[in-house]
Amino acid sequence: MKRCIIQAVIAAFIWSTSFVGSHDLFAQNPLVTVRFANPDMNCTTNKYCVDVEFKSNTLGIELFGMNVRLFYDESVLEFVNFTNFQPGYSAVAPNPPLILTGSPASGPALFNFIGAAEFVNGAIQLTNASAPDIILDDWKKIFQICFTIDNAGSNPDIFCPSVVWDLEQNPANGGFLAGDDGVVITVVNPDPGIDSSPADEAVQHLNWHYIGSGTPPYGEPDQTQCISVDCCPDLPLFPNDTICDGDNMTFEYEEEGLTGVTYEWNFGSGSNPSTATGPGPHVVAYDTTLTNQATGANVTLTMNRSGCTQVSGQVSTIVVNATPDASIAAGDDTLCYYTNRTFIPAAGFFPDATYTWTFGSGAVPPSAFGYGPHTVYYQTTGIKSVKLIIDPDAPGAECADSSTQTFDIIECPGNISGHVNSVNGPGIPGVQIKLYMDFDFNGLADNGTVVKMTNTSLEGEYSLVNIVPGNYVIIQSQPAGWTSINDEDESPDGDIVINIDPLDNRIPVTVVAGTVDTDNNFIETPTPGTISGSVFVDLDGDQIPDSGEGLANVEIKLHLDANKNGIADSGVAFATAMTSGTGSYSINLIPIGNYVLTETTPAEHTSIKDYDLSNDQDSVSNSNLNNDTIPVTIMQGEHDAHNYFIDASLCPRFVTNTDDDGDGSLRKAISCAVNGDTIKFHYSLAGQTILITSTRLEIDADIIIWSNLVPTVKIKSSIPGLFDIGSSATPQFRNIHIESGVNGYIGAAFNNFGHLILHDVQIDRNPGLSLGQYLIHNNPGSQLQLRGICRLEW
């Protein structure tokens, strides 16, 4: 526990190290430095104060006391008191301190002051042993010294007064007055029985430094710790702002630490209240005026403080935006849904404003922008809410206004009517008409659910009644034998969806409440007919065109036969066609009527038969089957098929049997073939053998004998030899299986005088051919060329 301290009431100017006594337990005196720090100006009390701080060069040292002696310029400062002591410390006698003022010359002569040097002699001491220890291991504030300011100079923002600790003539001892010891500092003695011990002193002055000459003046002012001591009020600036008509603004201003100020406010155009006094807060409401809306309400403030010049001026500008009237005018339109209603603001147009509308559930359109008017209809019934928001879009505050209007939308059924007519005028009866919903406005049925359905009357008329207003699509079931040429609503019924395709048997329609949507008409034309058939060589005799039998590029003509006598009315053809690669032909878009088909028999062919295989209800019978003429009658939308022309080739290049000779034989085809011809084989000969039994086959032309059958055809000889190749001939055999003849002829398979080409050919020896006999004999000047994979049995 700290020992009890008995305050020594001793005049500070006679304090000395002898006061401590002879019981000093320190090995040597600690060095304690005292300084002025942290100058501060309190405009409320008008006091200039500095902290007094101590620091020891020895650890664990605690300040016991100090005789406080200092000088300052009497023309600048006036001492007030010691204050703001740390716990345990207080001022001691002399208390209050003694104040001595020198002659006017003392300040300049001793310290380079402007005015007289004023001397303060006082003391402070630890007086409460129970207070927490304050150890001087680092700078510690013990108390403050405060002054009033007599003269702040020409620039109060840079105030740097000098305060000088009492100096001995040897400044190291802390004082300069003859007969005293200057600044004396004592510290707490560690011995509980002794209160204090001496210390060596060092000082740091405020805004003054010692020159060190030992003669006056001893030093000079040094501006190192400067502060502002300007305590006159400054005119504040509040941010400019934008508010809405009827809104409030709050104004408040009071400079911290500044007293004695009066405030006079004027809040400008449209303000309520218009004026006020005092720092505030002042709550001010603004109504829109032409002035404050265009240039703003100018807020001014005038401030006065004793000793200061009055400050006055504009501190803010408040622009007051008008708030528009968002009431809605909807008119007296019917409340049926799918009926147009018109919406527009009740008030006049607000310049530069943004108008945003929402029309409620089921509205088309659901929303809109702009003043209007806006035309809206509803797809659903029930209570609807229309909302308008007006945003003036003025800079600053968004002074938007809105309003809502509600009403009840009800159903009002309507009807649809129209007709299905021929392009020539008469109505078409019995045509099915269906109605489907079209909620998504794409002109197509939303689903397969039929809303209404009916059939056209004998006159071609139809009607769909008691239909809930909305968007639909009418679909016609295309009548047989007719072709659409126009599907259209011929009256302006306010349909929302455009009929973009007039040939798809669909008409988009909008049923308006309580009305009849008329003239939804489907116009048809009789469907033209088609004639088809084939021109072919009937190789198998079944009178039906089979694969490989068709004749290509044969001209077929269609002639009118108005008098139905089976003879063309004129030599001018109504239409023509050429047969395809398979021998088939087709003539399309033939109007209803009677005609005759004629064939131009191809070269090297002869007509065999002309007939209509199917029963097409032709008006004229085909009494002559060999005149290249077939009578035909075209009904509405009819396809008259199987009109066949059968021809025969004068020189067949097609092998249809395995005979040695005669029609359809290989020998017959070779005998009439000319340069460039290709001889092929009927599919029925796949895997079959053509047996040559009479004479050898002679080839004197550049022809190709080609089998594309699988398995291929075989040509076999039962006589001596098989093929004789002329000297000017270049025949080719492709994919053929050959078996040679028997003994008795040179070249049992080929006796070649020309240029023989074998491509993927297999040649076998006849079992009756002796070994050593040639399968192929190439005579002088002849050539043999093998291609692909050729196999010869030797």
Side-chain angles (χ1 to χ4, degrees), residues 93 174 206 214 310 317 354 358 367 397 399 408 415 428 466 507 517 556 580 587 682 773:
L206 179 68
Q310 181 187 79
T317 299
T354 298
T358 53
S367 59
C399 303
D408 189 10
N415 298 334
I428 303 174
N466 199 29
I507 300 176
D517 194 311
I556 304 296
S580 68
I587 304 174
H682 194 270
Q773 299 296 310

Side-chain angles (χ1 to χ4, degrees), residues 223-473:
Q223 294 184 338
T224 57
Q225 299 188 58
C226 303
I227 64 170
S228 174
V229 294
D230 184 1
C231 290
C232 288
D234 293 323
L235 192 68
L237 287 179
F238 298 95
N240 295 335
D241 206 347
T242 305
I243 63 174
C244 298
D245 181 27
D247 285 353
N248 295 331
M249 289 292 295
T250 299
F251 299 94
E252 180 178 16
Y253 180 68
E254 184 175 13
E255 288 191 82
E256 184 176 353
L258 194 62
T259 59
V261 179
T262 62
Y263 302 83
E264 296 180 6
W265 299 83
N266 186 306
F267 301 113
S269 174
S271 60
N272 183 22
S274 59
T275 61
T277 59
H282 301 293
V283 179
V284 182
Y286 283 90
D287 294 328
T288 302
T289 66
L290 293 177
T291 298
N292 65 28
Q293 187 175 2
T295 60
N298 295 327
V299 180
T300 60
L301 175 62
T302 300
M303 295 187 295
N304 290 286
R305 187 172 191 260
S306 178
C308 296
T309 302
Q310 181 187 79
V311 291
S312 180
Q314 183 175 326
V315 295
S316 183
T317 299
I318 307 300
V319 175
V320 185
N321 288 336
T323 301
D325 179 4
S327 302
I328 300 171
D332 297 325
D333 303 315
T334 176
L335 295 179
C336 296
Y337 77 159
Y338 285 97
T339 299
N340 289 338
R341 291 178 57 82
T342 301
F343 297 94
I344 193 171
F349 179 70
F350 199 92
D352 299 323
T354 298
Y355 291 79
T356 303
W357 298 82
T358 53
F359 299 114
S361 62
V364 178
S367 59
F369 295 95
Y371 181 82
H374 297 285
T375 301
V376 180
Y377 70 91
Y378 291 87
Q379 300 180 90
T380 57
T381 60
I383 301 299
K384 309 297 179 182
S385 293
V386 175
K387 184 173 183 178
L388 171 61
I389 300 174
I390 304 178
D391 185 352
D393 286 344
E398 296 293 335
C399 303
D401 190 21
S402 66
S403 68
T404 300
Q405 186 180 94
T406 60
F407 43 85
D408 189 10
I409 295 295
I410 61 175
E411 291 184 2
C412 303
N415 298 334
I416 296 173
S417 66
H419 61 251
V420 179
N421 277 39
S422 166
V423 68
N424 299 319
I428 303 174
V431 180
Q432 189 178 68
I433 303 295
K434 295 180 180 179
L435 186 68
Y436 297 86
M437 291 302 305
D438 182 20
F439 281 117
D440 54 6
F441 308 102
N442 64 355
L444 301 174
D446 292 336
N447 50 52
T449 302
V450 178
V451 178
K452 296 281 183 179
M453 182 173 63
T454 189
N455 291 323
T456 57
S457 66
L458 292 176
E459 293 77 23
E461 305 291 338
Y462 73 90
S463 180
L464 302 168
V465 300
N466 199 29
I467 301 170
V468 174
N471 283 289
Y472 298 87
V473 58

